[in-house]
Amino acid sequence: MVKDKKQAGEALRFVIVGALATAIHYGIYYVLQLGIDVNVAYTAGYVVSFIFNYILSARFTFRKKTSVKNGLGFGGAHVINYLLQVCLLNIFLCLGISRSFAPVPVYCIAIPVNFMMVRYVFGRRD
């Protein structure tokens, strides 16, 4: 029971931090894509949200101290996630989805994948 309660709290905190990081990412992307290349806009939003996401994921979601070890693991997971997201973004754009809406299906696919990778990094495989 305690394990389930702990995991439920972790998942809820992940959703809160992820929603905030996604809103930051999308907000930056949306504004920038109006005037610059979508991939540059997407990357700029990703970098800013990554920093926010790492600090809050470590301290709030997984209740760990930030460290070089989990920072590198988090960064590695996010490099994979970033590449997945940029590929998906360009696929959805090629399929005719608007520049403004294309990140939405990207997030639907990439966020669950990212959760599994980040959860592994912070050592919560129980």
Side-chain angles (χ1 to χ4, degrees), residues 70-109:
N70 64 33
L72 290 173
F74 191 85
H78 275 272
V79 165
I80 294 166
N81 191 47
Y82 168 77
L83 294 172
L84 172 65
Q85 287 193 34
V86 168
C87 288
L88 289 170
L89 176 70
N90 284 284
I91 289 168
F92 290 126
L93 290 170
C94 286
L95 291 173
I97 296 176
S98 73
R99 291 169 60 137
S100 298
F101 186 74
V104 174
V106 171
Y107 296 144
C108 292
I109 296 167

Side-chain angles (χ1 to χ4, degrees), residues 3 16-17 20 28 57-58 81 83 90-91 112 119 126:
K3 183 178 173 182
I16 293 167
V17 171
L20 292 171
I28 292 169
S57 288
N81 191 47
L83 294 172
N90 284 284
I91 289 168
R119 190 167 190 267
D126 49 332

Side-chain angles (χ1 to χ4, degrees), residues 23-49 89 99-100 103:
I24 290 167
H25 182 203
Y26 183 77
I28 292 169
Y29 165 81
Y30 183 83
V31 170
L32 293 179
Q33 63 86 28
L34 296 171
I36 65 174
D37 177 74
V38 291
N39 290 302
V40 175
Y42 202 83
T43 300
Y46 197 91
V47 169
V48 173
S49 73
L89 176 70
R99 291 169 60 137
S100 298

